[in-house]
Amino acid sequence: MTGQQAADVRAIVVETLAEQQRIRHDDIDAVVLKAVATTLTSFGIDEEDRKELRADFQHLRRWRRSVEQAQSYTFKAVITVIVTGFVGAVWLGIKVTLGK
């Protein structure tokens, strides 16, 4: 076998392996798509409802973020009130001590 023939055989083998890989990926994609469709259908969600489902998830994400932001603001407000009360109590204590 000459060098050219060996190169041709290698090229054919590489091409065949690449085609088999593409076929496997296509098969895997089909199985995954069917599994997702079956799962959504088992939850009562038809394939036509995907846009609505995406909008629902986007709404839930916005709602979750707003709740997390409100919790953050509430925590900051509570800390501010506690610190302000403590500083006020210290100020009153100093005022009473100096007033005697």
Side-chain angles (χ1 to χ4, degrees), residues 49-65:
D49 295 338
R50 284 186 183 177
K51 288 183 181 179
E52 287 186 41
L53 182 64
R54 182 180 298 135
D56 291 344
F57 282 134
Q58 289 172 345
H59 173 74
L60 285 173
R61 178 174 287 152
R62 284 192 304 271
W63 182 59
R64 178 185 51 84
R65 286 180 179 166

Side-chain angles (χ1 to χ4, degrees), residues 22-35:
R22 281 192 292 274
I23 291 170
R24 274 193 225 128
H25 284 301
D26 291 344
D27 290 344
I28 290 171
D29 289 345
V31 169
V32 168
L33 185 59
K34 186 175 180 181

